[in-house]
Amino acid sequence: MKHMSSREFNHDIGKAKRAAEEGPLLITDRGKPAFVLLKHEEYQRLVGQEPSIVDLLRQDEPEADFDFEPPRLREIVRREPVFD
């Protein structure tokens, strides 16, 4: 596991983020392990948290954009009422 001092972390957060792309990054404070920086997907995997329906349906990527117009209910249901 890669490690970085808290001073290094504060000085170059971009470097820390790049290091965390490859795996967890241990951040030390006065030579002792203090924090671990990791990607959100890895965190979710570790805690066993499943994505919500909102996360699954969110369209963050521009290429995922599409038009959606659901049919009106009266266009779907065209049955005559049944009287006994």
Side-chain angles (χ1 to χ4, degrees):
M1 178 185 301
K2 293 186 177 187
H3 65 280
M4 173 183 279
S5 71
S6 59
R7 176 177 278 178
E8 290 174 294
F9 176 78
N10 289 331
H11 181 70
D12 196 350
I13 294 174
K15 180 180 176 183
K17 288 167 56 177
R18 286 187 299 275
E21 286 284 336
E22 298 173 16
L25 174 68
L26 177 64
I27 301 170
T28 60
D29 192 14
R30 299 176 193 222
K32 295 181 181 178
F35 302 96
V36 176
L37 179 65
L38 52 110
K39 293 180 67 172
H40 186 256
E41 292 85 9
E42 181 67 11
Y43 169 75
Q44 284 183 317
R45 188 186 68 75
L46 289 172
V47 297
Q49 182 180 354
E50 295 293 324
S52 71
I53 188 71
V54 174
D55 293 331
L56 295 172
L57 294 175
R58 186 172 41 226
Q59 298 176 14
D60 293 333
E61 299 87 26
E63 64 271 2
D65 190 28
F66 61 90
D67 294 326
F68 175 69
E69 291 187 33
R72 295 186 165 263
L73 186 58
R74 66 184 141 185
E75 294 171 5
I76 296 172
V77 180
R78 294 188 180 193
R79 290 185 261 159
E80 295 292 325
V82 177
F83 298 105
D84 287 331

